[in-house]
């Protein structure tokens, strides 16, 4: 789907064309679901994705650049997730630096013990245990394959903050996965 | 520090995606139930314009009617006063043709 297609489908959807919106849905839903499913409980991901599309449909006229629909939609979904976390009293704020200073990303494990043995479910569980700010940075950058600048735009924080959260997220993941790698050399 | 060959980053990037299920029928139903307020307003705009124009005409007509009514009240009051004055003048003139009915009030009011 080229930029001109996005522009065309968004323009048609804005006029109320549900077929055009269906095309946008089909093109963006799988990746959006993958990101959302790693940020909230699996049972809730589908509902948040649907609500994100409903909100997008209602506010299509607010979209400044028609070609950036996917990014805009992701921002809507992230806002819905933040609302959910606030309702559920999750800790949305970044953990205190003092307590995480000790967790410095040591870089690649020289032995790469878990490189091939780390099961997807284990890695998903470890991601799910990350504090929300680290989790969303890791998910959007690595799993959703978005550049750091795009993640910063979506989360509305400076680029340096994203880099820091990614580094600290990786450090926590290494700690969390270490026992597994020791068990499964 | 974290090169592209970092096994953790590689593992994260190669994690099989969770795709969920395509539930377009559910979404389409939701969209049908919830049209945007803006699009509803946009659709209803001609109706609003008609209603607004009708209300403006009714208001203008009512204002004009009220103005006319006020004028007729003033006119009828003025007419009644005139008739009373003429009748009094005629009565006074009939009883004594030389008396001016306004002479007394003028005398009373003069210092």
């Amino acid at each position: 789907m080229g930029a001109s297609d996005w522009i065309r489908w968004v323009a048609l959807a804005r006029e109320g064309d549900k077929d055009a919106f269906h095309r946008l849905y089909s093109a963006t839903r799988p990746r959006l679901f993958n990101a959302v499913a790693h940020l909230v409980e699996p049972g809730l991901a589908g509902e948040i994705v649907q609500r994100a599309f409903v909100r997008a449909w209602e506010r299509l006229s607010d979209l400044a650049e028609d070609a950036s629909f996917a990014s805009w939609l992701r921002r809507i979904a992230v806002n819905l997730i933040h609302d959910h976390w606030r309702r559920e009293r999750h800790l949305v704020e970044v953990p205190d630096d003092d307590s995480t200073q000790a967790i410095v990303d040591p870089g690649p494990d020289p032995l790469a013990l878990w490189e091939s043995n780390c099961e997807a479910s284990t890695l998903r569980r470890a991601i799910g245990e990350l504090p929300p700010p680290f989790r969303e940075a890791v998910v959007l950058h690595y799993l959703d394959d978005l550049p750091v600048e795009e993640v910063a735009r979506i989360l509305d924080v400076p680029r340096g903050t994203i880099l820091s959260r990614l580094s600290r997220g990786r450090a926590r993941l290494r700690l969390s996965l270490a026992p597994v790698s020791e068990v499964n050399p | 520090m974290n090169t592209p060959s970092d096994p953790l980053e590689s593992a994260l990037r190669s994690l099989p995606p969770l795709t969920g299920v395509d539930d377009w029928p559910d979404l389409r139903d939701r969209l049908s139930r919830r049209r945007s307020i803006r699009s509803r307003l946009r659709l209803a705009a001609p109706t609003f314009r008609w209603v607004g124009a009708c209300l403006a005409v009714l208001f203008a007509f009512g204002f004009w009617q009220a103005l006319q009514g006020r004028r007729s009240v003033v006119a009828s009051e003025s007419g009644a006063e005139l008739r009373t004055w003429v009748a009094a003048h005629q009565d006074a003139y009939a009883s004594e043709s030389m008396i001016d009915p306004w002479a007394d009030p003028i005398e009373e009011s003069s210092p």
Side-chain angles (χ1 to χ4, degrees):
Chain A
M1 207 173 185
S4 61
D5 290 327
W6 285 109
I7 292 169
R8 188 150 49 95
W9 298 129
V10 168
L12 287 170
R14 192 179 281 140
E15 296 299 316
D17 186 337
K18 286 206 181 74
D19 289 335
F21 195 69
H22 185 200
R23 287 175 186 271
L24 293 170
Y25 175 79
S26 301
T28 52
R29 192 205 60 80
R31 270 186 69 179
L32 181 68
F33 182 88
N34 183 44
V36 173
H38 284 95
L39 292 172
V40 296
E41 306 85 85
L44 192 63
E47 175 60 21
I48 286 191
V49 168
Q50 296 290 81
R51 279 166 49 196
F53 277 103
V54 169
R55 192 167 287 188
W57 169 257
E58 290 177 338
R59 299 181 182 180
L60 262 177
S61 53
D62 294 345
L63 178 57
E65 292 176 46
D66 292 1
S68 63
F69 176 81
S71 173
W72 177 68
L73 179 69
R74 214 164 254 100
R75 212 159 32 237
I76 291 175
V78 165
N79 286 337
L80 287 172
I81 290 167
H82 285 179
D83 291 345
H84 167 69
W85 281 340
R86 278 189 212 103
R87 273 197 305 274
E88 299 294 311
R89 297 171 190 275
H90 277 270
L91 289 173
V92 180
E93 60 269 13
V94 179
D96 190 358
D97 272 329
D98 293 341
S99 62
T100 53
Q101 279 300 330
I103 308 172
V104 178
D105 185 358
D109 182 348
L111 299 175
L113 290 173
W114 42 265
E115 182 178 11
S116 56
N117 296 318
C118 181
E119 291 179 8
S121 59
T122 310
L123 189 49
R124 289 194 212 283
R125 183 188 49 73
I127 294 168
E129 288 171 356
L130 286 174
F134 299 163
R135 198 190 320 159
E136 56 190 7
V138 165
V139 166
L140 291 174
H141 181 59
Y142 292 116
L143 277 66
D144 207 11
D145 205 23
L146 295 176
V148 171
E149 291 75 17
E150 182 73 19
V151 178
R153 252 198 309 276
I154 289 172
L155 298 179
D156 199 23
V157 292
R159 183 177 180 275
T161 305
I162 297 300
L163 290 172
S164 160
R165 289 181 185 178
L166 286 173
S167 169
R168 290 155 72 185
R170 284 194 305 267
R172 282 174 177 257
L173 283 175
R174 285 185 215 287
L175 280 180
S176 153
L177 293 166
V180 177
S181 56
E182 284 166 11
V183 172
N184 290 322
Chain B
M1 200 167 193
N2 290 288
T3 59
S5 60
D6 179 351
L8 174 60
E9 292 191 34
S10 302
L12 286 168
R13 289 189 196 281
S14 59
L15 200 58
L18 301 170
T19 53
V21 289
D22 185 313
D23 202 356
W24 170 249
D26 169 64
L27 180 61
R28 192 184 49 212
D29 290 347
R30 291 191 193 201
L31 300 186
S32 300
R33 285 198 299 270
R34 301 179 57 170
R35 288 194 68 93
S36 77
I37 292 172
R38 282 183 187 179
S39 58
R40 270 183 286 187
L41 284 175
R42 205 181 304 132
L43 286 174
T47 311
F48 284 141
R49 274 198 290 273
W50 268 107
V51 170
C54 290
L55 284 175
V57 168
L58 281 174
F59 181 77
F61 183 70
F63 183 74
W64 181 76
Q65 281 285 74
L67 210 61
Q68 289 298 103
R70 179 67 193 146
R71 276 183 188 161
S72 64
V73 166
V74 169
S76 63
E77 284 175 357
S78 304
E81 283 172 10
L82 183 63
R83 279 193 295 276
T84 305
W85 183 85
V86 169
H89 191 268
Q90 283 174 344
D91 288 347
Y93 187 77
S95 60
E96 196 170 346
S97 59
M98 295 305 289
I99 289 180
D100 184 345
W102 300 108
D104 287 345
I106 291 170
E107 282 174 11
E108 285 169 8
S109 61
S110 60

